[in-house]
Short mmCIF file of all heavy atoms in Angstrom, two decimals:
data_model
loop_
_atom_site.label_atom_id
_atom_site.label_comp_id
_atom_site.label_asym_id
_atom_site.label_seq_id
_atom_site.Cartn_x
_atom_site.Cartn_y
_atom_site.Cartn_z
N LYS A 122 -51.82 -86.38 -124.33
CA LYS A 122 -53.20 -86.68 -123.99
C LYS A 122 -53.41 -88.19 -124.00
O LYS A 122 -52.61 -88.93 -124.56
CB LYS A 122 -54.17 -86.02 -124.98
CG LYS A 122 -54.08 -84.50 -124.98
CD LYS A 122 -55.03 -83.86 -125.99
CE LYS A 122 -54.92 -82.35 -125.97
NZ LYS A 122 -55.81 -81.72 -126.94
N ARG A 342 -67.98 -91.09 -124.96
CA ARG A 342 -68.61 -91.25 -126.27
C ARG A 342 -68.90 -92.74 -126.45
O ARG A 342 -68.14 -93.57 -126.03
CB ARG A 342 -67.70 -90.77 -127.41
CG ARG A 342 -67.48 -89.26 -127.46
CD ARG A 342 -66.57 -88.96 -128.64
NE ARG A 342 -66.44 -87.55 -128.93
CZ ARG A 342 -65.41 -86.80 -128.61
NH1 ARG A 342 -64.40 -87.36 -127.95
NH2 ARG A 342 -65.34 -85.54 -128.92
N ARG A 424 -59.70 -83.88 -136.46
CA ARG A 424 -59.66 -82.44 -136.75
C ARG A 424 -59.74 -81.64 -135.45
O ARG A 424 -59.02 -80.66 -135.24
CB ARG A 424 -60.80 -82.08 -137.68
CG ARG A 424 -60.83 -80.60 -138.07
CD ARG A 424 -62.15 -80.23 -138.69
NE ARG A 424 -63.24 -80.50 -137.74
CZ ARG A 424 -64.43 -80.95 -138.11
NH1 ARG A 424 -64.69 -81.17 -139.37
NH2 ARG A 424 -65.35 -81.15 -137.21
N ASP A 425 -60.69 -82.08 -134.54
CA ASP A 425 -60.80 -81.37 -133.27
C ASP A 425 -59.50 -81.52 -132.47
O ASP A 425 -59.10 -80.57 -131.77
CB ASP A 425 -61.96 -81.95 -132.47
CG ASP A 425 -63.31 -81.69 -133.14
OD1 ASP A 425 -63.36 -80.82 -134.02
OD2 ASP A 425 -64.29 -82.33 -132.76
N PHE A 426 -58.89 -82.67 -132.54
CA PHE A 426 -57.64 -82.87 -131.81
C PHE A 426 -56.57 -81.90 -132.28
O PHE A 426 -55.91 -81.27 -131.48
CB PHE A 426 -57.16 -84.33 -132.00
CG PHE A 426 -55.81 -84.58 -131.43
CD1 PHE A 426 -55.64 -84.86 -130.08
CD2 PHE A 426 -54.68 -84.56 -132.24
CE1 PHE A 426 -54.40 -85.09 -129.53
CE2 PHE A 426 -53.41 -84.79 -131.72
CZ PHE A 426 -53.25 -85.07 -130.35
N PHE A 427 -56.41 -81.74 -133.59
CA PHE A 427 -55.41 -80.85 -134.13
C PHE A 427 -55.76 -79.38 -133.82
O PHE A 427 -54.88 -78.57 -133.56
CB PHE A 427 -55.24 -81.05 -135.62
CG PHE A 427 -54.46 -82.29 -135.95
CD1 PHE A 427 -55.05 -83.39 -136.56
CD2 PHE A 427 -53.10 -82.37 -135.64
CE1 PHE A 427 -54.34 -84.52 -136.87
CE2 PHE A 427 -52.38 -83.50 -135.96
CZ PHE A 427 -53.00 -84.58 -136.58
N ASP A 428 -57.07 -79.07 -133.83
CA ASP A 428 -57.48 -77.71 -133.51
C ASP A 428 -57.09 -77.36 -132.08
O ASP A 428 -56.64 -76.24 -131.80
CB ASP A 428 -59.00 -77.56 -133.68
CG ASP A 428 -59.40 -77.47 -135.13
OD1 ASP A 428 -58.53 -77.25 -135.99
OD2 ASP A 428 -60.61 -77.64 -135.45
N SER A 429 -57.29 -78.32 -131.16
CA SER A 429 -56.94 -78.05 -129.77
C SER A 429 -55.43 -77.96 -129.59
O SER A 429 -54.93 -77.23 -128.74
CB SER A 429 -57.53 -79.13 -128.85
OG SER A 429 -56.96 -80.39 -129.15
N GLU A 430 -54.69 -78.74 -130.39
CA GLU A 430 -53.23 -78.71 -130.31
C GLU A 430 -52.67 -77.37 -130.79
O GLU A 430 -51.68 -76.88 -130.28
CB GLU A 430 -52.65 -79.82 -131.18
CG GLU A 430 -52.82 -81.21 -130.61
CD GLU A 430 -51.94 -81.43 -129.38
OE1 GLU A 430 -50.72 -81.48 -129.49
OE2 GLU A 430 -52.51 -81.50 -128.26
N GLN A 432 -54.29 -74.40 -130.86
CA GLN A 432 -55.23 -73.35 -130.46
C GLN A 432 -54.56 -71.98 -130.47
O GLN A 432 -53.53 -71.78 -129.85
CB GLN A 432 -55.77 -73.63 -129.07
CG GLN A 432 -57.05 -72.89 -128.78
CD GLN A 432 -58.24 -73.83 -128.65
OE1 GLN A 432 -58.12 -74.86 -128.04
NE2 GLN A 432 -59.33 -73.45 -129.22
N LEU A 745 -68.61 -73.61 -135.58
CA LEU A 745 -68.63 -75.04 -135.91
C LEU A 745 -69.40 -75.82 -134.84
O LEU A 745 -70.16 -76.71 -135.13
CB LEU A 745 -67.19 -75.56 -136.00
CG LEU A 745 -67.05 -77.08 -136.17
CD1 LEU A 745 -67.59 -77.55 -137.50
CD2 LEU A 745 -65.59 -77.49 -136.03
N LYS A 746 -69.16 -75.40 -133.57
CA LYS A 746 -69.79 -76.07 -132.44
C LYS A 746 -70.40 -75.06 -131.48
O LYS A 746 -70.11 -73.85 -131.57
CB LYS A 746 -68.75 -76.94 -131.68
CG LYS A 746 -68.19 -78.08 -132.48
CD LYS A 746 -67.21 -78.88 -131.62
CE LYS A 746 -66.67 -80.09 -132.36
NZ LYS A 746 -65.74 -80.85 -131.51
N GLY A 748 -69.55 -73.96 -128.80
CA GLY A 748 -68.36 -73.78 -128.00
C GLY A 748 -67.20 -73.57 -128.94
O GLY A 748 -67.41 -73.33 -130.15
N SER A 749 -65.98 -73.62 -128.45
CA SER A 749 -64.84 -73.47 -129.35
C SER A 749 -64.77 -74.66 -130.29
O SER A 749 -65.33 -75.73 -130.01
CB SER A 749 -63.55 -73.38 -128.54
OG SER A 749 -63.30 -74.62 -127.89
N PRO A 750 -64.09 -74.51 -131.43
CA PRO A 750 -64.06 -75.61 -132.42
C PRO A 750 -63.52 -76.93 -131.88
O PRO A 750 -63.87 -78.01 -132.34
CB PRO A 750 -63.12 -75.08 -133.51
CG PRO A 750 -63.29 -73.59 -133.42
CD PRO A 750 -63.44 -73.30 -131.95
N SER A 751 -62.64 -76.87 -130.86
CA SER A 751 -62.07 -78.09 -130.32
C SER A 751 -62.80 -78.62 -129.09
O SER A 751 -62.37 -79.59 -128.48
CB SER A 751 -60.59 -77.86 -129.96
OG SER A 751 -60.47 -76.82 -128.97
N SER A 752 -63.92 -77.98 -128.71
CA SER A 752 -64.63 -78.38 -127.54
C SER A 752 -65.43 -79.67 -127.77
O SER A 752 -65.56 -80.15 -128.91
CB SER A 752 -65.60 -77.28 -127.09
OG SER A 752 -66.70 -77.20 -127.99
N ARG A 753 -65.98 -80.23 -126.70
CA ARG A 753 -66.81 -81.43 -126.80
C ARG A 753 -68.26 -81.08 -127.00
O ARG A 753 -69.13 -81.94 -126.91
CB ARG A 753 -66.65 -82.25 -125.51
CG ARG A 753 -65.31 -82.97 -125.36
CD ARG A 753 -65.23 -84.19 -126.27
NE ARG A 753 -66.34 -85.12 -126.02
CZ ARG A 753 -66.35 -86.02 -125.03
NH1 ARG A 753 -65.34 -86.13 -124.20
NH2 ARG A 753 -67.41 -86.82 -124.88
N GLU A 754 -68.60 -79.83 -127.26
CA GLU A 754 -69.95 -79.39 -127.46
C GLU A 754 -70.51 -79.94 -128.79
O GLU A 754 -69.75 -80.37 -129.66
CB GLU A 754 -70.07 -77.87 -127.47
CG GLU A 754 -69.71 -77.21 -126.15
CD GLU A 754 -70.70 -77.47 -125.03
OE1 GLU A 754 -71.82 -77.94 -125.33
OE2 GLU A 754 -70.37 -77.22 -123.86
#
Side-chain angles (χ1 to χ4, degrees):
K122 298 179 180 179
R342 290 181 171 103
R424 182 195 58 215
D425 294 345
F426 173 82
F427 284 111
D428 285 345
S429 64
E430 287 290 292
Q432 199 113 42
L745 173 67
K746 295 182 177 181
S749 66
S751 60
S752 72
R753 288 284 305 276
E754 296 290 347

